[in-house]
Amino acid sequence: YTAAIDRNQWSGSTGNPAIDRALAFEMRGYSLYMLGRHREAVQDLSIASRAMPQESRIHFFLGLSQLYSDELESAVASFTKTLELGYKDSASAFAYRGHAYAGMGQYGRALEHFAEAIQREPTESFSYGSRVLILLCAGDSEHAVEEAQNDLRRPGTLDVGSQWMAIHCYLALRNSGDFGSAVATVNDVSLRSDEAQWPAPIIKYLT
């Protein structure tokens, strides 16, 4: 993509050079995001979003790149645009916009976003875990413990998300001073976990 951009030669087949150029920036932006080069990704995806403003996926990944670059207000704006355009994974857009608000210290607003994300996608563990962690950040250990324990009792098999929830529950219980219950929680999950599957090694370490 870099070579195509540098040479002003686009291999796209849209028949529109401006759109083909934007697609090259978009794809390089995705690649930079996956490599963890978030600030560079912001630059490329910003160019792509201006050329193709109706493409919700670009605004979503632009928001992610801005979030990880600590450009929190810009991330909120990008996720808002993502939702306005009807992005198919609206639950993730709400969850990540919630993280941007949390980064700005707006914990109540963040928790509202996680609740909305859970309502839209009740099987996705990311939003449950995010809610517990933000409750801890807000100093509400009691509520964090309650939510974490409820999440661990959710119907379904013990999956990676449940293991992460056990870790969140452990942190909440430790933070509230109940070390015995914290260890008991991860012990119970450890007995039912595949030791070869991440984050099982973390569970094992905590036990």
Side-chain angles (χ1 to χ4, degrees):
Y1 301 118
T2 298
I5 291 169
D6 289 344
R7 295 196 305 266
N8 286 331
Q9 294 177 349
W10 326 111
S11 59
S13 58
T14 68
N16 184 328
I19 296 300
D20 288 341
R21 176 177 183 273
L23 287 170
F25 276 102
E26 177 189 1
M27 297 311 297
R28 189 173 70 172
Y30 291 157
S31 300
L32 289 166
Y33 168 78
M34 296 301 294
L35 290 170
R37 294 162 61 178
H38 299 124
R39 294 190 184 280
E40 295 171 81
V42 167
Q43 296 176 2
D44 278 10
L45 293 172
S46 294
I47 292 171
S49 70
R50 288 193 293 270
M52 298 184 289
Q54 300 306 310
E55 295 293 343
S56 60
R57 68 180 183 278
I58 299 177
H59 293 284
F60 179 73
F61 281 96
L62 174 58
L64 287 177
S65 300
Q66 291 165 331
L67 177 63
Y68 293 128
S69 298
D70 205 29
E71 299 176 19
L72 302 178
E73 292 185 0
S74 295
V76 166
S78 292
F79 290 128
T80 299
K81 186 66 174 179
T82 298
L83 291 164
E84 289 174 352
L85 292 172
Y87 186 59
K88 62 181 181 180
D89 188 4
S90 61
S92 291
F94 269 101
Y96 283 111
R97 189 168 67 174
H99 274 283
Y101 280 123
M104 292 187 283
Q106 299 182 35
Y107 297 132
R109 203 163 187 179
L111 290 169
E112 291 173 359
H113 276 66
F114 298 139
E116 179 66 27
I118 289 169
Q119 183 175 348
R120 289 169 180 255
E121 184 48 78
T123 63
E124 174 54 61
S125 61
F126 176 70
S127 297
Y128 291 94
S130 297
R131 180 171 61 184
V132 171
L133 292 177
I134 297 307
L135 285 168
L136 286 173
C137 290
D140 190 352
S141 296
E142 182 178 353
H143 194 193
V145 169
E146 179 184 350
E147 292 290 356
Q149 291 177 330
N150 287 339
D151 294 340
L152 279 173
R153 289 192 288 267
R154 283 187 293 126
T157 58
L158 184 66
D159 57 10
V160 172
S162 298
Q163 293 180 51
W164 280 116
M165 284 312 308
I167 294 170
H168 297 154
C169 190
Y170 172 90
L171 293 172
L173 287 163
R174 275 290 300 269
N175 199 59
S176 68
D178 191 349
F179 182 71
S181 295
V183 173
T185 297
V186 289
N187 270 333
D188 178 59
V189 172
S190 177
L191 294 173
R192 297 178 286 133
S193 300
D194 180 354
E195 292 187 0
Q197 185 180 33
W198 187 263
I202 298 178
I203 297 285
K204 187 175 180 62
Y205 171 78
L206 294 176
T207 60

